Amino acid sequence: MSTRKQLLFWAVLALGASSLVGCEETSSANCASGDQRVCMCSGDRTGLQRCDTGGFWGDCLCDGVDAGVDANTGVDGALPGDAGADAGGPDGGVSNPCLSSATSHLLISEVATQPAEAELIEIWNPGTTAVDLSGLHLSDSATYHLISTGAPWSPGGAVPGSDFLARFPPGSTLAAGAVLVISAGTDFYGTFSSCPDFAIGDDATLCQGTAVPKMVAPANGSLGTEEGSMLSNSREMLMLFCWDGNTATVVDVDYVTWGDAYDALSRADKTGVAGYAPDTPIADQNPAPMIVLANGDESMGRCDVTETGETATGGNGSTGHDETSEQMGTTFSLFGAASPGAVNSCN
Ligand SMILES: [Ca+2]
Ligand SMILES: [Ca+2]
Ligand SMILES: [Ca+2]
Ligand SMILES: [Ca+2]
């Protein structure tokens, strides 16, 4: 974390902002059952804290590890979907997929923005275990985080239908080492002679006569309507993120932005939004290289699995990373031949 960000981070804490709090215990009920908030873990990491049925804040859950019995209530603090047993008490370890270390490994591995036929997004699981995609969402709008507030989908911009916020179909998984491809274009097969795994957009998407499964539009989200114009050639972002449908905040998983002529809609920044740590200011984000068809570029692809430059603590990611700090100008490269559905040749 930069010195400036550290100062801002601790300044927020010093002010006692309710959105970013410690794990204090009080003797009287002090929250509404079901509420959740960001809390502090060791060092300068953040975790999630849930208000139990008695109206007390439970343990601060750090890196997906259940701290066990709450010192105040004597009850092990459960999270939605929490199951199984642990040493702390009856409810057991955290299974919230948004806090899973496996989920945190998922990466946006390849993007094509043009021509219109070819628009695509590829997601890669470089880990050694399959990942349940339940709760995983993908959006190209800086408003993506509003889904957890219940705000209606309203991405702004000149053509709102060119933006989307979609989730993976229930039950879908991504095997260890595998990639999956989402088509946002108008003729995937005609361009790549293969079929995508999923599609966004409202039109029926056929591949050799077979319907391509659609991503799912959640309440307060959208598949978009502008196939072939979903991914801006000149300034755009993609955020792979997790939301379990209950928590007050979303969890960033991986992020890429491109275009030097950025604006507030084409780069994510949740700084100042209740419940979130500061993101990297949009002016300081390091974009991936843009595709230039005249140069023979077909896609931008990730060649760096380590997310070089990414701040590892104090951020809004599932293990505390600040996804918006990755040096995407370094970690992504331009390819003369796209490889949708295949691990990039540089990996
Ligand atoms: Ca495009
Ligand atoms: Ca868009
Ligand atoms: Ca990243
Ligand atoms: Ca690829």
Side-chain angles (χ1 to χ4, degrees):
M1 190 186 298
S2 69
T3 302
R4 196 172 101 196
K5 287 181 64 183
Q6 283 182 327
L7 285 172
L8 178 59
F9 188 79
W10 291 111
V12 168
L13 288 183
L15 289 170
S18 60
S19 60
L20 201 63
V21 294
C23 300
E24 76 276 15
E25 300 287 355
T26 61
S27 57
S28 58
N30 59 356
C31 54
S33 176
D35 281 359
Q36 298 193 49
R37 64 183 184 181
V38 176
C39 52
M40 292 308 303
C41 302
S42 59
D44 60 357
R45 297 174 306 143
T46 56
L48 287 177
Q49 195 173 23
R50 163 163 276 261
C51 187
D52 63 28
T53 52
F56 294 93
W57 288 112
D59 305 313
C60 187
L61 302 169
C62 303
D63 288 350
V65 177
D66 189 334
V69 172
D70 184 288
N72 187 49
T73 64
V75 175
D76 197 353
L79 283 177
D82 198 5
D86 71 4
D91 72 306
V94 174
S95 64
N96 181 341
C98 297
L99 298 178
S100 150
S101 61
T103 298
S104 73
H105 294 152
L106 294 180
L107 295 168
I108 299 168
S109 51
E110 191 170 8
V111 178
T113 60
Q114 52 183 316
E117 295 82 357
E119 284 195 351
L120 71 86
I121 304 147
E122 185 186 76
I123 308 293
W124 179 33
N125 174 12
T128 54
T129 57
V131 175
D132 179 358
L133 299 178
S134 302
L136 267 292
H137 296 66
L138 187 65
S139 180
D140 66 343
S141 170
T143 67
Y144 72 100
H145 59 89
L146 295 178
I147 188 173
S148 65
T149 71
W153 171 244
S154 180
V159 186
S162 67
D163 288 337
F164 65 94
L165 191 166
R167 62 177 301 180
F168 290 90
S172 50
T173 59
L174 187 56
V179 296
L180 67 79
V181 182
I182 302 158
S183 171
T186 56
D187 189 5
F188 190 92
Y189 185 85
T191 309
F192 300 113
S193 300
S194 62
C195 292
D197 297 285
F198 300 112
I200 57 172
D202 62 337
D203 295 340
T205 303
L206 297 177
C207 189
Q208 290 198 294
T210 300
V212 175
K214 288 285 183 181
M215 295 283 280
V216 174
N220 310 321
S222 173
L223 292 180
T225 60
E226 305 295 320
E227 291 89 343
S229 299
M230 301 296 296
L231 302 178
S232 169
N233 303 348
S234 58
R235 55 180 171 188
E236 187 65 282
M237 58 160 277
L238 287 169
M239 181 68 84
L240 179 67
F241 69 100
C242 195
W243 184 52
D244 62 7
N246 295 300
T247 313
T249 53
V250 303
V251 176
D252 296 343
V253 175
D254 196 30
Y255 169 73
V256 62
T257 183
W258 58 93
D260 294 327
Y262 62 87
D263 59 22
L265 291 175
S266 63
R267 290 188 183 180
D269 184 1
K270 300 181 293 305
T271 303
V273 179
Y276 293 99
D279 283 324
T280 301
I282 61 174
D284 296 342
Q285 293 180 18
N286 182 247
M290 277 199 315
I291 292 166
V292 181
L293 284 184
N295 292 348
D297 306 328
E298 275 196 5
S299 72
M300 61 183 90
R302 174 182 288 282
C303 286
D304 182 333
V305 69
T306 64
E307 302 172 284
T308 293
E310 191 165 290
T311 305
T313 59
N316 296 305
S318 55
T319 57
H321 283 212
D322 172 4
E323 293 297 332
T324 58
S325 65
E326 183 176 337
Q327 297 299 293
M328 294 160 273
T330 300
T331 57
F332 280 79
S333 301
L334 294 170
F335 288 89
S339 62
V343 174
N344 298 343
S345 57
C346 56
N347 292 127

PDB file of all heavy atoms in Angstrom, residues 110 122 339 342 344, ligand 4:
ATOM      1  N   GLU A 110      -8.271 -13.177 -20.739  1.00  0.00           N
ATOM      2  CA  GLU A 110      -8.192 -12.692 -22.128  1.00  0.00           C
ATOM      3  C   GLU A 110      -9.452 -11.909 -22.455  1.00  0.00           C
ATOM      4  O   GLU A 110     -10.553 -12.251 -21.983  1.00  0.00           O
ATOM      5  CB  GLU A 110      -8.030 -13.871 -23.095  1.00  0.00           C
ATOM      6  CG  GLU A 110      -7.672 -13.454 -24.512  1.00  0.00           C
ATOM      7  CD  GLU A 110      -7.263 -14.642 -25.401  1.00  0.00           C
ATOM      8  OE1 GLU A 110      -7.399 -15.798 -24.960  1.00  0.00           O
ATOM      9  OE2 GLU A 110      -6.833 -14.388 -26.537  1.00  0.00           O
ATOM     10  N   GLU A 122     -12.491 -14.070 -21.282  1.00  0.00           N
ATOM     11  CA  GLU A 122     -12.063 -15.398 -20.843  1.00  0.00           C
ATOM     12  C   GLU A 122     -11.684 -15.343 -19.364  1.00  0.00           C
ATOM     13  O   GLU A 122     -11.015 -14.402 -18.923  1.00  0.00           O
ATOM     14  CB  GLU A 122     -10.860 -15.847 -21.677  1.00  0.00           C
ATOM     15  CG  GLU A 122     -10.390 -17.275 -21.380  1.00  0.00           C
ATOM     16  CD  GLU A 122      -9.105 -17.588 -22.139  1.00  0.00           C
ATOM     17  OE1 GLU A 122      -8.028 -17.096 -21.714  1.00  0.00           O
ATOM     18  OE2 GLU A 122      -9.183 -18.310 -23.146  1.00  0.00           O
ATOM     19  N   SER A 339      -6.838 -16.737 -28.204  1.00  0.00           N
ATOM     20  CA  SER A 339      -6.887 -18.163 -27.838  1.00  0.00           C
ATOM     21  C   SER A 339      -8.055 -18.411 -26.894  1.00  0.00           C
ATOM     22  O   SER A 339      -7.873 -18.929 -25.786  1.00  0.00           O
ATOM     23  CB  SER A 339      -5.572 -18.585 -27.190  1.00  0.00           C
ATOM     24  OG  SER A 339      -5.338 -17.854 -25.997  1.00  0.00           O
ATOM     25  N   ALA A 342      -8.589 -21.608 -24.445  1.00  0.00           N
ATOM     26  CA  ALA A 342      -7.306 -22.273 -24.214  1.00  0.00           C
ATOM     27  C   ALA A 342      -6.445 -21.375 -23.330  1.00  0.00           C
ATOM     28  O   ALA A 342      -6.454 -20.148 -23.488  1.00  0.00           O
ATOM     29  CB  ALA A 342      -6.585 -22.544 -25.535  1.00  0.00           C
ATOM     30  N   ASN A 344      -3.588 -19.212 -22.221  1.00  0.00           N
ATOM     31  CA  ASN A 344      -2.749 -18.396 -23.097  1.00  0.00           C
ATOM     32  C   ASN A 344      -1.362 -19.020 -23.268  1.00  0.00           C
ATOM     33  O   ASN A 344      -0.806 -19.591 -22.318  1.00  0.00           O
ATOM     34  CB  ASN A 344      -2.614 -16.986 -22.523  1.00  0.00           C
ATOM     35  CG  ASN A 344      -3.956 -16.282 -22.423  1.00  0.00           C
ATOM     36  OD1 ASN A 344      -4.931 -16.695 -23.053  1.00  0.00           O
ATOM     37  ND2 ASN A 344      -4.010 -15.217 -21.637  1.00  0.00           N
TER      38      ASN A 344
HETATM   39 CA    CA B   4      -6.864 -17.777 -23.869  1.00  0.00          CA
END
